[in-house]
Amino acid sequence: MDFRDRDIISIRDFSKNELLHVLKTAGKIESSPNIELMKGKIMSSLFFEPSTRTRLSFESAMRKLGGQVIGFSDPSGTSLKKGETLWDTIKMAERYSDVIVMRHPVEGSARLAAEAAEVPIINGGDGANQHPTQTLLDLYTIHKSKGKLEGLSIGFLGDLKYGRTVHSLAIALSHFGANMYFISPQALKMPDYYLEELGSKGIEYHEVEDLLKVSKELDILYATRIQKERFPDPVEYKRYAGIYKLDNTILPHVKPSLKIMHPLPRVDELHPELDKTEHAIYFEQAGNGIPVRQALLALVTGMVK
Ligand code: CP
């Protein structure tokens, strides 16, 4: 399997075997890190939208493997301010680096960047569309905590309309026979085209508004934030803000083995009292961004096969 020069744009671009290959590579890098693997390579880190985990873990991943990082976290300090296009910005970054990691608020922008660039583009999130590297670290986390990916019952809770991490993860889990529960208010339900895609693959899914109706079924509860920045109307956001607030009162209603995940950042949907419980794995999940992103950087630059 050869990932050299490949763009990482959508989780749909991965076969099941390719997903497993990235996870296996991440496991190998985590168990025996090579601090010179990316020596002489430069990563552009182009963040047109705020980020803590994705940007910092990519930058840390690259540096821990001996590579270097250039880029920006605030586009107002770049020539975009003077009217330069995304296309031209990418044409510059490809001349200065071996791989480009980009986050952008516009859906489809990562695909456009991949058309512009000769070097690999890794999508760090494009609008409400896709967040494939988050999905890979989510799969890595699920496998680490459950020892398998096949046949799990997963509940997705919160803003399933705008939550790109949910979109990517549901598609990835469709390779592994997951039983999916989509828990959201009607207005923030999983988009129909994702449900149709899952249905066409024979995936069993259920849509409910009340978590308690399905909480006992779940092996994983994947909670998400209501995505304030994606709502066209702030009044509409206020209607749904705070609609789900998980705290220790949920614990009598779940399996003892339930694991709670969250892509983070959280707002008020996960009470910090849950952090100390055996159920919470969301900080480990964020930490798994390092080996998974190291694997992706090394694979697309051809430093590992
Ligand atoms: N999970 C995630 O994408 O976090 P950031 O927005 O902080 O990168």
Side-chain angles (χ1 to χ4, degrees), residues 15-267:
S15 68
K16 179 176 179 176
N17 279 343
E18 287 170 339
L19 292 173
L20 292 172
H21 184 66
V22 175
L23 304 190
K24 198 168 151 195
T25 306
K28 280 189 198 161
I29 289 180
E30 188 174 22
S31 60
S32 66
N34 172 354
I35 57 167
E36 301 217 329
L37 187 63
M38 298 296 285
K39 197 171 172 191
K41 300 283 180 197
I42 298 177
M43 179 187 97
S44 279
S45 170
L46 311 185
F47 278 71
F48 298 85
E49 207 185 44
S51 166
T52 297
R53 278 144 293 274
T54 308
R55 185 174 70 81
L56 295 183
S57 64
F58 260 117
E59 295 185 4
S60 175
M62 188 65 176
R63 290 197 170 104
K64 279 171 180 264
L65 294 179
Q68 295 182 60
V69 178
I70 58 171
F72 54 81
S73 56
D74 180 357
S76 69
T78 74
S79 287
L80 284 157
K81 266 298 219 197
K82 304 173 204 161
E84 187 161 49
T85 60
L86 173 62
W87 184 277
D88 284 358
T89 306
I90 296 296
K91 295 304 287 177
M92 296 302 98
E94 72 170 348
R95 281 162 174 76
Y96 306 147
S97 56
D98 303 285
V99 55
I100 298 171
V101 177
M102 185 181 99
R103 171 173 288 187
H104 198 283
V106 176
E107 294 184 25
S109 52
R111 193 72 74 189
L112 177 80
E115 278 174 33
E118 299 287 330
V119 302
I121 295 282
I122 302 182
N123 181 8
D126 61 330
N129 186 30
Q130 285 269 320
H131 196 349
T133 70
Q134 176 72 43
T135 297
L136 286 158
L137 77 87
D138 291 343
L139 292 176
Y140 190 74
T141 304
I142 292 170
H143 190 265
K144 257 187 156 179
S145 75
K146 291 287 174 188
K148 63 175 186 176
L149 290 171
E150 301 282 347
L152 294 167
S153 289
I154 318 263
F156 295 95
L157 176 81
D159 182 351
L160 311 186
K161 178 178 180 183
Y162 296 117
R164 59 192 173 197
T165 62
V166 170
H167 301 163
S168 296
L169 184 56
I171 296 301
L173 284 169
S174 69
H175 290 291
F176 300 98
N179 189 8
M180 302 191 201
Y181 295 84
F182 297 114
I183 309 148
S184 72
Q186 184 64 21
L188 298 180
K189 73 190 277 294
M190 193 76 170
D192 284 339
Y193 50 93
Y194 282 104
L195 296 178
E196 282 158 20
E197 187 171 342
L198 296 175
S200 72
K201 292 177 172 172
I203 295 300
E204 197 179 326
Y205 68 82
H206 316 263
E207 293 184 280
V208 295
E209 293 200 23
D210 182 358
L211 171 61
L212 290 178
K213 284 199 171 143
V214 298
S215 55
K216 277 261 189 259
E217 307 295 326
L218 305 178
D219 300 307
I220 300 278
L221 176 58
Y222 193 95
T224 63
R225 173 176 68 90
I226 307 294
Q227 306 267 310
K228 182 179 183 182
E229 67 277 24
R230 310 263 178 241
F231 279 74
D233 178 357
V235 176
E236 192 71 358
Y237 166 71
K238 283 204 177 114
R239 184 171 300 155
Y240 297 107
I243 191 164
Y244 296 112
K245 290 188 176 175
L246 292 178
D247 57 25
N248 284 352
T249 61
I250 190 68
L251 299 184
H253 306 283
V254 301
K255 289 181 186 173
S257 60
L258 174 84
K259 296 298 178 199
I260 302 174
M261 297 175 65
H262 192 304
L264 304 175
R266 63 179 159 188
V267 183

Side-chain angles (χ1 to χ4, degrees), residues 261-303:
M261 297 175 65
H262 192 304
L264 304 175
R266 63 179 159 188
V267 183
D268 55 5
E269 63 280 359
L270 276 187
H271 195 287
E273 71 186 13
L274 281 165
D275 299 359
K276 297 183 217 71
T277 70
E278 293 279 299
H279 302 279
I281 56 169
Y282 29 87
F283 292 125
E284 288 161 63
Q285 179 186 354
N288 288 333
I290 298 284
V292 169
R293 290 173 170 137
Q294 285 177 324
L296 286 169
L297 290 167
L299 282 164
V300 301
T301 54
M303 302 317 287

